[in-house]
Amino acid sequence: MGNAAGTLGVVINEASATAGGVLSGVVYVMVNSAINAEYLMVTVDGEEYALVAWKHTTGTGDNRKTVTKRRRYRRSLLRMDAGLADFSATGGKLAPGRYEFPFTLRLPGGLPSSMSSHGPHGSKCRITYSISARLGRPGSFTSDFRTARQVIVSSAPLPPLPTPVFVEPDTQQVNFCCCFNRGSMTLGATLDDTAVGRGGTVGVGLACKNDSTSEILGMHIVVTEHVRWGPVNGGGRHNHRSRVLAQIS
């Protein structure tokens, strides 16, 4: 952010950070003319946000009216403050020039990944992180210098050892014209791992037993993401969105 007396900026070294990992960068201060200053601080914030929307209808006949109702929910996930400089040693003054203040912060290990999703009627949810810098300046009529930028955070790496799962076989009757039974088919499946990270792969095994007189034309495997958001306590209205992440026939 620019200012007549100076400019403040923050640069991070990594395109994204990992929960439990290090977030590092540099805060730049460009002073155009001598200013009073007390301190320089960086802050990392994380927040959950949900906007729940639904259609609400009242009245009947000519008095029938439908409106969109909305509820917003916020919850703080993270707040980290780190002091970078105390200017009292220099008499609370910053001379004209360019200053650089490197920082290194270790994020908590249990943070969820950055994400966002949109649903019906304008509903949406997101998990966001940001880093901000603040140059504190004394005086009731003096504004602090501030700047902020978004940080992409990924959750901690998944366990190195996979946890396979065996899906219970399911048997379905095969009917013709809803009434004439042609026997049954049984389908079972296995997964290499129950947890898959972004950009990862998962192996799926299928087994089918055809005890019917019908021919199997093909098989289709779909991986679907389900996102549901609403009040933290689970009560009240929620919104939901699903999307296909991967599929194969």
Side-chain angles (χ1 to χ4, degrees):
M1 295 178 61
N3 188 283
T7 303
L8 182 66
V10 58
V11 175
I12 55 176
N13 295 330
E14 307 85 7
S16 63
T18 302
V22 169
L23 176 66
S24 62
V26 179
V27 175
Y28 294 93
V29 182
M30 178 67 74
V31 180
N32 301 323
S33 57
I35 60 173
N36 296 325
E38 293 182 326
Y39 60 86
L40 179 65
M41 175 183 292
V42 292
T43 301
V44 181
D45 287 295
E47 181 188 66
E48 288 179 334
Y49 171 83
L51 170 61
V52 179
W54 68 95
K55 293 293 185 180
H56 180 71
T57 302
T58 57
T60 58
D62 294 339
N63 295 323
R64 185 180 178 87
K65 182 179 180 182
T66 300
V67 298
T68 300
K69 289 199 169 186
R70 297 178 177 88
R71 295 289 184 272
R72 291 176 172 82
Y73 305 92
R74 294 181 184 272
R75 184 172 67 167
S76 176
L77 298 174
L78 173 68
R79 174 82 181 196
M80 296 175 61
D81 295 317
L84 298 185
D86 182 356
F87 300 110
S88 59
T90 60
K93 296 283 187 179
L94 267 181
R98 174 189 171 101
Y99 301 87
E100 298 181 7
F101 300 88
F103 63 87
T104 300
L105 302 171
R106 181 167 294 278
L107 300 177
L111 298 175
S113 296
S114 302
M115 63 80 65
S116 65
S117 186
H118 294 76
H121 316 306
S123 62
K124 57 187 175 182
C125 66
R126 61 176 180 258
I127 295 176
T128 57
Y129 299 90
S130 65
I131 183 168
S132 60
R134 176 178 179 178
L135 180 67
R137 304 176 64 200
S140 302
F141 301 99
T142 303
S143 299
D144 295 343
F145 290 179
R146 302 171 185 266
T147 188
R149 61 168 298 168
Q150 188 176 5
V151 178
I152 303 300
V153 174
S154 297
S155 60
L158 298 173
L161 297 178
T163 304
V165 60
F166 300 90
V167 182
E168 187 73 21
D170 180 60
T171 300
Q172 296 287 333
Q173 297 299 315
V174 180
N175 295 323
F176 176 71
C177 292
C178 302
C179 302
F180 303 99
N181 185 270
R182 288 189 169 183
S184 65
M185 291 186 185
T186 302
L187 182 67
T190 63
L191 295 175
D192 289 347
D193 200 350
T194 56
V196 184
R198 182 178 297 156
T201 60
V202 60
V204 181
L206 290 179
C208 184
K209 183 180 181 182
N210 187 2
D211 291 323
S212 74
T213 58
S214 297
E215 180 184 0
I216 297 176
L217 300 180
M219 292 188 178
H220 193 56
I221 304 171
V222 180
V223 179
T224 307
E225 174 191 74
H226 300 277
V227 183
R228 185 173 184 265
W229 60 92
V232 175
N233 60 12
R237 292 182 177 268
H238 288 72
N239 286 124
H240 177 267
R241 182 196 178 193
S242 299
R243 62 170 179 160
V244 174
L245 299 181
Q247 56 185 322
I248 188 172
S249 294

